[in-house]
Amino acid sequence: MMKSVLAATLMSLSAMAFAQQSVSFVEPANGATVSSPFKVKFAVSGMEVKPAGDMTANTGHHHLLINATPVKAGEVIPADEKHIHFGKGQTETELNLPPGNYTLTMQFANGLHQAYGPAMNKEIKITVK
């Protein structure tokens, strides 16, 4: 009886921890109007930021997608002008974008740049004036 209660408690705590895993933008705010260059800051909850190559469980690093479709879970995030990798574990950057409307998607991925999928990405829309 005691083992089953302990097992149920551990499973419940594990499920709660998993449910709390998320990423967010510290800045800019969704809907913000900014001037280039501007700062972008990332946050993650329930996981730890580690550099690319580190495959420790519940870790990864940020990627910033600019006007690009999010990458499906398990797929490798490309490296190009629309998919910026922060493989050293950076949690902020400065962007210099021409005037216009943009969708920025932060996508968290494991040490091999494999996306964790929709649960670990966050999209905001900004205007660069």
Side-chain angles (χ1 to χ4, degrees), residues 29 31-36 38 98-103 125-129:
T33 298
V34 298
S35 297
S36 281
F38 61 96
N101 295 318
Y102 293 90
T103 299
K125 297 193 180 294
I126 64 162
T127 300
V128 178
K129 61 178 181 177

Side-chain angles (χ1 to χ4, degrees), residues 35-97:
S35 297
S36 281
F38 61 96
K39 190 172 279 197
V40 179
K41 289 186 179 182
F42 317 117
V44 62
S45 297
M47 294 186 98
E48 189 177 347
V49 175
K50 295 278 188 176
D54 189 324
M55 290 298 291
T56 305
N58 293 313
T59 67
H61 60 279
H62 296 286
H63 299 79
L64 182 62
L65 285 55
I66 302 171
N67 290 343
T69 305
V71 178
K72 294 177 185 172
E75 291 185 6
V76 174
I77 298 172
D80 57 32
E81 67 281 348
K82 290 186 171 192
H83 302 84
I84 304 170
H85 289 238
F86 298 94
K88 293 179 183 175
Q90 307 96 307
T91 58
E92 63 181 63
T93 191
E94 192 171 88
L95 286 182
N96 194 354
L97 297 173

